[in-house]
Amino acid sequence: MNNMNNLFKTKLIVILAVVLCMPSCSDDFLDRPPEDSYNVAEFYETTEQVNVATNALYVRPWYNFVTNVSWCIGELSSGNGRTWDPRNADFVNFAITGEHGTLTQAWESLYAVVAQANAVINTLPDAAGPSVPQDVVDNAVGEARFIRASAYFYLVRIFGPIPIIADNNEYVLEPVVPRNPESDVYEFIKRDLQFAVDNCYEKIRGANYDANAKVSSGSAKAMLAKVYLYEQNYPMAYQLASEVINSGEFKLYGGDAEDGDPTGSYYDLFLTANDNNPESIFALQWTNTGIYAEGNGVQSLFAPAGVTGFSDGWSAIGPSIDLQEAYEDTEQDLRYYATIMAPGAFYPDLNGGYTVSETIDHQGCNVGVKKYVIGSAASNGGGASQSYPNNTYVLRYGELLLIHAEAALNGGGSVAEGINSFNKIRRRAGLDEIANPTLEDVFQERRIELAFEMEFWYDVVRQGPDFALNFLSNTERGTFNDDTSPPTINSETFPASMDDLLFPYPSNEIQNNPALLEAPVPYEFE
């Protein structure tokens, strides 16, 4: 177990009560900070205080989105997973409405991230003590703008046109906020990320994982490459991805690539002891306190009963038959073992040794989920039910290599270099190289590489309506019938429509802000 809980995360707990009250002590994304909740002049007086001012942005405001929503959208809606859970089955069959409570949590949680980032962005520059160097202030604001951009990147991909809130205090007396076009939201995101590129510290991710917790200039450049990929600006996506690759800041954890770290492996990426390994570009920094919403709750939903040591472990999602069949070789591909619990599989690191039941059957899929399942608090450095200390990735170097490859194959840069990046991922997975991969190969590789990292829905939708509707409508979402030998499939598919490619605004948000039903209004950039 690394020392992150004794460094970044313990400092985070000290400031949570202060920072969380700054922008939003409720779920209202326009909430105004109580004027007596903290003394800004004292809080930002020293360099250390400024450095820790952004810590909370990596944790608590993300909790409801990551724990309760991100896997429903990323895995259930995409067809990577399935569930009978009545709370979330509507994500499987495209029946989500604005009344759905889980969807509402996405809006509330992500706008809470925005609000708390806004508090740092709009307060820190004027409030920092005279002894605090300007580069320290600029770096902290850059971190906050990176994290604000990341929240908006989720929001625009989930909901489409949304309100851009750059300063929550501006709307306290006028809570009706117009939504802005998707193109303006993307422009806002790019400006935030470019500021982070220009102002965050440059780093090299090495063996001191404590130093890797926060985002850097390179992190922002990598995220900007991903945004340009979504905009189909392939030359910019390729250029930025190349710059990050050539910088040497990040390493592929395991594998034989020249920019690889031979001390790790794909499986090791998801061990708590390897939080903030050199592949991590941006990860949420959950704590080990056991306090609800300060730790990672994903294991509670994914794990089999009994694994966590607590009453959670609800097996709320199973790897779909479609995903299982997408693996080209479940024996050779090392990612299968790290992602999916197959009957009889043995995990020596999980609770001192764990053998998967021969009858494991999460949600009718005859297997379970392994990724982000880390076991009991006693064997993983603390935590409690629904609150574990393992990071969740938002972006890692393995994905950046696939961004590089996709941009190259789309005409953005050297095809040979793109293929090299693609095959680094293949080799680490234990698979043979593909000499001339296609865009379909990259799509397939992204699906397997990032399975159960809550990403696949966005990959499907960004391929365009024709592809997305065909793929989603024909993805096998059924279950195994174990009354036959071998088991047969109770096939189930659901037709998707154009309206299903974006999620509806939460009904309570429309009630509070009727402007969500009006035509988008261009955002006035400064």
Side-chain angles (χ1 to χ4, degrees):
M1 185 70 185
N2 60 37
N3 295 321
M4 189 56 59
N5 291 330
N6 298 321
L7 182 65
F8 180 94
K9 295 181 179 180
T10 52
K11 288 181 178 179
L12 181 146
I13 298 305
V14 173
I15 65 169
L16 270 175
V18 177
V19 177
L20 288 176
C21 287
M22 292 166 69
S24 178
C25 287
S26 78
D27 289 327
D28 187 347
F29 79 152
L30 297 178
D31 219 23
R32 184 175 185 173
E35 294 184 359
D36 61 352
S37 66
Y38 67 103
N39 186 321
V40 173
E42 292 180 3
F43 187 70
Y44 295 140
E45 188 64 28
T46 69
T47 293
E48 182 178 19
Q49 288 172 333
V50 171
N51 283 335
V52 302
T54 58
N55 286 13
L57 300 179
Y58 293 79
V59 191
R60 193 165 187 170
W62 291 93
Y63 181 83
N64 279 337
F65 175 66
V66 171
T67 299
N68 299 319
V69 192
S70 60
W71 57 276
C72 293
I73 294 174
E75 308 301 337
L76 290 179
S77 292
S78 68
N80 266 0
R82 60 149 281 112
T83 189
W84 282 305
D85 182 352
R87 293 168 299 178
N88 295 317
D90 286 344
F91 283 95
V92 176
N93 59 16
F94 309 114
I96 292 294
T97 71
E99 300 294 328
H100 202 284
T102 300
L103 182 67
T104 300
Q105 290 182 79
W107 184 280
E108 292 175 345
S109 179
L110 292 168
Y111 269 113
V113 176
V114 169
Q116 290 183 31
N118 282 343
V120 174
I121 294 164
N122 296 312
T123 303
L124 177 57
D126 293 330
S131 66
V132 181
Q134 187 62 43
D135 68 289
V136 174
V137 173
D138 292 343
N139 177 72
V141 173
E143 285 183 73
R145 291 187 67 168
F146 176 102
I147 290 171
R148 181 173 70 178
S150 298
Y152 274 126
F153 193 31
Y154 280 116
L155 282 164
V156 73
R157 289 181 294 167
I158 295 169
F159 297 106
I162 52 169
I164 298 173
I165 308 295
D167 186 344
N168 293 66
N169 288 322
E170 291 181 358
Y171 293 95
V172 170
L173 299 178
E174 182 54 56
V176 177
V177 188
R179 58 183 182 147
N180 304 113
E182 291 179 61
S183 58
D184 285 2
V185 180
Y186 272 94
E187 179 62 25
F188 189 86
I189 291 168
K190 289 187 293 184
R191 292 187 184 202
D192 266 356
L193 291 175
Q194 188 59 55
F195 182 93
V197 170
D198 296 337
N199 290 279
C200 285
Y201 295 137
E202 296 182 357
K203 297 181 180 179
I204 293 294
R205 310 273 162 157
N208 178 11
Y209 292 0
D210 290 351
N212 298 346
K214 291 192 171 188
V215 297
S216 65
S217 174
S219 301
K221 190 174 289 187
M223 186 65 80
L224 193 54
K226 182 170 181 175
V227 172
Y228 276 118
L229 186 77
Y230 270 72
E231 291 192 313
Q232 299 183 351
N233 187 337
Y234 300 118
M236 283 299 298
Y238 179 87
Q239 176 184 325
L240 291 168
S242 296
E243 290 177 9
V244 175
I245 292 168
N246 294 333
S247 74
E249 176 174 355
F250 306 98
K251 291 180 172 63
L252 197 64
Y253 206 44
D256 60 358
E258 64 278 7
D259 52 352
D261 180 345
T263 66
S265 69
Y266 184 86
Y267 184 87
D268 292 337
L269 282 168
F270 303 96
L271 300 181
T272 311
N274 297 324
D275 282 355
N276 303 310
N277 61 76
E279 185 164 335
S280 180
I281 293 176
F282 173 35
L284 301 178
Q285 305 289 316
W286 304 108
T287 78
N288 66 348
T289 65
I291 298 173
Y292 183 79
E294 292 179 10
N296 184 356
V298 171
Q299 173 173 235
S300 299
L301 284 304
F302 285 9
V307 166
T308 72
F310 301 103
S311 60
D312 56 354
W314 298 311
S315 310
I317 182 173
S320 70
I321 294 170
D322 199 276
L323 174 63
Q324 294 178 54
E325 292 179 346
Y327 284 84
E328 61 188 85
D329 189 329
T330 58
E331 294 293 330
Q332 186 177 354
D333 193 332
L334 302 177
R335 296 170 297 190
Y336 184 85
Y337 173 80
T339 305
I340 294 177
M341 282 187 172
F346 178 67
Y347 294 92
D349 60 287
L350 190 59
N351 296 344
Y354 177 80
T355 300
V356 180
S357 169
E358 292 288 352
T359 59
I360 190 169
D361 184 21
H362 290 191
Q363 306 299 321
C365 297
N366 285 359
V367 291
V369 180
K370 173 58 178 74
K371 191 173 285 187
Y372 289 129
V373 173
I374 58 170
S376 67
S379 63
N380 278 287
S385 177
Q386 303 179 67
S387 186
Y388 300 94
N390 57 317
N391 288 355
T392 45
Y393 294 105
V394 179
L395 182 62
R396 56 182 176 84
Y397 189 62
E399 181 179 0
L400 183 77
L401 291 174
L402 293 175
I403 291 170
H404 189 240
E406 184 175 341
L409 292 179
N410 271 299
S414 167
V415 172
E417 290 299 319
I419 292 174
N420 184 40
S421 292
F422 174 85
N423 281 318
K424 289 176 184 179
I425 298 298
R426 297 273 301 177
R427 293 199 304 271
R428 180 176 65 172
L431 299 175
D432 295 335
E433 292 188 4
I434 298 177
N436 295 294
T438 64
L439 289 169
E440 289 75 15
D441 292 325
V442 177
F443 176 82
Q444 159 71 9
E445 210 63 43
R446 284 185 62 90
R447 183 181 193 183
I448 302 303
E449 177 73 14
L450 301 172
F452 286 94
E453 294 179 52
M454 295 65 125
E455 181 70 18
F456 190 49
W457 168 262
Y458 311 107
D459 272 342
V460 172
V461 172
R462 71 181 175 85
Q463 305 302 317
D466 289 344
F467 176 93
L469 294 178
N470 179 66
F471 183 92
L472 295 171
S473 298
N474 291 287
T475 298
E476 179 58 67
R477 299 169 189 264
T479 59
F480 282 110
N481 177 9
D482 292 325
D483 292 335
T484 64
S485 182
T488 55
I489 296 175
N490 298 318
S491 183
E492 199 168 24
T493 59
F494 299 95
S497 69
M498 284 292 295
D499 289 342
D500 297 320
L501 301 184
L502 289 174
F503 288 86
Y505 302 120
S507 297
N508 63 321
E509 296 298 335
I510 293 174
Q511 184 176 1
N512 294 333
N513 181 21
L516 289 174
L517 297 179
E518 299 174 1
V521 175
Y523 183 75
E524 295 184 8
F525 290 95
E526 295 182 358

